[in-house]
Amino acid sequence: ATEVVDFDKELRKLVADLTDTMQDAPGVGLAAPQLGVSLRVFTYWVEEELGHVVNPTLELSDDTELGEEGCLSLPGLSFDTPRSRSLIARGFNMHGEPIELVGADLMARCVQHETDHLDGIIFIDRLTPEERKEAMKQIRAALGDDAIIVSSHQSERGRGVQVTAAAENNGPTDEATDEALANTIHDDGLRGEDETASPEDDVLFQSLIYHDV
């Protein structure tokens, strides 16, 4: 997602839409790319603390912990995911005023999770290849044969989007496909040194895998 430059009425409307969608779900966080908007904005709602961050930068602690993590992009699924235990997030509010958010435990996990979305990453990318393989099986089982599964792949633009869609269109997928997707999904190693992901790729990825949108 791209940096926000204009702190205007459209940005305030985006923050309001993100907040409403997050609370309606309900969820503890939501990033703009999940709604198809390629801007570096996310909202959070952690232990009754409601807020948002524009153009976040994170200072992460060295100590990490495993914790259960889910995502509105993958409804009903959760996996133990490694994260830094605490952080300081700096950025702006929707009016362009500088803000600083200090968080630990669930707040830190939420902020890292949502910032990952802004970088085109979903939380299962943080798992080991074997764990991702198991996650792909659970995703297919939960969402059904018509689930859209997206992985990154090499393309002329750097990182592209590959879609394995409904079984009636592409045929059934198997364990080998799960393993291939688990090993390639948003793997930065697939890009060459001079290649970068486009914001459009990241938005397309997260919009497609967002099952409810």
Side-chain angles (χ1 to χ4, degrees), residues 7 11-12 52 92-97:
F7 292 80
L11 177 61
R12 294 192 292 274
H52 66 278
F92 303 89
N93 64 20
M94 60 185 170
H95 304 292
E97 300 165 339

Side-chain angles (χ1 to χ4, degrees), residues 63-85:
D63 56 322
T64 61
E65 63 181 5
L66 276 176
E68 187 176 26
E69 197 162 320
C71 184
L72 294 178
S73 297
L74 299 171
L77 297 174
S78 62
F79 305 95
D80 284 339
T81 307
R83 296 286 186 186
S84 292
R85 186 180 177 277

Side-chain angles (χ1 to χ4, degrees), residues 86-144:
S86 61
L87 56 69
I88 301 173
R90 298 181 177 89
F92 303 89
N93 64 20
M94 60 185 170
H95 304 292
E97 300 165 339
I99 59 173
E100 181 176 283
L101 175 65
V102 179
D105 301 321
L106 182 57
M107 177 64 81
R109 183 169 295 276
C110 171
V111 170
Q112 290 171 82
H113 180 111
E114 300 309 329
T115 303
D116 271 355
H117 275 301
L118 306 183
D119 295 327
I121 298 169
I122 60 173
F123 75 107
I124 60 174
D125 298 337
R126 298 291 183 184
L127 307 179
T128 66
E130 189 62 30
E131 289 169 335
R132 287 199 298 272
K133 179 181 175 182
E134 179 60 30
M136 299 306 290
K137 291 180 181 178
Q138 292 189 38
I139 291 168
R140 182 171 292 109
L143 301 185

Side-chain angles (χ1 to χ4, degrees), residues 19-42:
T19 301
D20 290 344
T21 304
M22 174 184 65
Q23 292 187 304
D24 287 345
V28 298
L30 191 66
Q34 290 178 274
L35 297 187
V37 180
S38 181
L39 289 175
R40 297 188 69 80
V41 185
F42 71 80

